[in-house]
């Protein structure tokens, strides 16, 4: 049994899917350690739900706007000035851009971009919005942006409960019994 298919993590992934369907950009607040494989499992889940995923982009301490244009091969669209509005116009409707590994060093620049992108997203119909999904690592929740008209924060809090642990342990013991 894969731990990401347990009830708690699966509910978390479904909440992400539902929030994206409502046209919200997302910040997933994850701890700095202990969630190895979560981003990959989330990406698989979103693919299975029919989302067109771009990335993943691995956050760098450089300009997030330049990084997105470069890593997504968006080109400069005949202009020398890259803007958040141009990014929103250039991304295909309904696409989700996953940005992973946004840590303390990168956070202030990515937060600024995300806040501008959220405002730019408001002028696009919910079903046509290209969306950003940032997976932060170790950013304190008070440092994360508040909910906006086109932005939601989903922290990884209380996702794994007693039922998840019981199911996981039961499956592990069952597997041991089959091997032994």
């Amino acid at each position: 049994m894969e731990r990401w298919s347990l009830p708690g993590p699966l509910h978390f992934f479904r909440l992400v899917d539902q929030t994206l369907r409502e046209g919200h950009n997302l910040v997933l607040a994850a701890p700095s350690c202990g969630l190895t494989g979560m981003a990959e499992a989330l990406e698989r889940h979103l693919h299975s739900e029919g989302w067109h995923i771009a990335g993943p982009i691995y956050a760098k301490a450089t300009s997030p706007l330049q990084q997105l244009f470069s890593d997504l091969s968006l080109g400069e669209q005949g202009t020398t000035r890259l803007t958040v509005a141009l990014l929103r116009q250039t991304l295909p409707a309904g696409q989700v851009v996953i940005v992973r590994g946004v840590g303390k060093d990168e956070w202030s620049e990515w937060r600024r971009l995300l806040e501008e992108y959220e405002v730019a997203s408001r002028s696009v119909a919910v079903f046509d919005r290209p969306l950003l999904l940032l997976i932060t690592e170790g950013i304190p929740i008070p440092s994360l942006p508040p909910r906006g008209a086109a932005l939601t924060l989903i922290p990884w809090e209380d996702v794994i409960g007693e039922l998840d642990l019981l199911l996981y342990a039961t499956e592990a013991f069952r597997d041991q019994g089959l091997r032994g």
Side-chain angles (χ1 to χ4, degrees):
M1 169 178 276
E2 185 184 32
R3 63 182 166 167
W4 305 111
S5 65
L6 292 169
L10 190 56
H11 174 73
F12 182 82
F13 290 169
R14 288 179 179 152
L15 179 60
V16 169
D17 177 47
Q18 175 186 345
T19 305
L20 291 171
R21 292 194 189 287
E22 293 169 357
H24 289 251
N25 296 287
L26 275 173
V27 175
L28 300 184
S32 57
C33 59
L35 290 181
T36 305
M38 188 270 289
E40 294 87 356
L42 175 61
E43 188 175 337
R44 283 191 308 273
H45 176 80
L46 293 175
H47 273 296
S48 73
E49 294 297 320
W51 287 99
H52 176 59
I53 305 293
I57 305 295
Y58 295 91
K60 299 176 188 165
T62 61
S63 164
L65 193 58
Q66 288 177 338
Q67 183 182 356
L68 287 170
F69 271 92
S70 174
D71 289 3
L72 296 172
S73 302
L74 297 176
E76 294 186 20
Q77 303 296 315
T79 184
T80 57
R81 185 163 187 268
L82 302 178
T83 64
V84 170
L86 181 62
L87 175 65
R88 190 210 28 88
Q89 293 168 359
T90 306
L91 291 171
Q95 183 177 58
V96 177
V97 178
I98 297 177
V99 180
R100 294 164 69 176
V102 181
K104 292 176 184 175
D105 295 338
E106 303 85 14
W107 176 239
S108 65
E109 292 294 319
W110 281 97
R111 179 182 176 147
R112 190 173 307 119
L113 172 90
L114 184 64
E115 289 171 343
E116 289 179 38
Y117 192 83
E118 186 268 335
V119 171
S121 295
R122 294 176 191 177
S123 64
V124 179
V126 169
F127 298 112
D128 293 332
R129 287 181 185 159
L131 300 168
L132 295 180
L133 190 160
L134 271 64
I135 302 173
T136 66
E137 296 176 357
I139 307 297
I141 291 179
S143 300
L144 297 170
R147 181 179 171 96
L151 176 65
T152 298
L153 164 67
I154 303 177
W156 181 273
E157 290 182 325
D158 301 324
V159 172
I160 298 179
E162 291 179 16
L163 177 61
D164 297 302
L165 296 175
L166 180 62
L167 288 171
Y168 190 77
T170 301
E171 191 67 27
F173 284 128
R174 186 177 298 147
D175 286 348
Q176 281 297 102
L178 293 175
R179 290 185 201 150

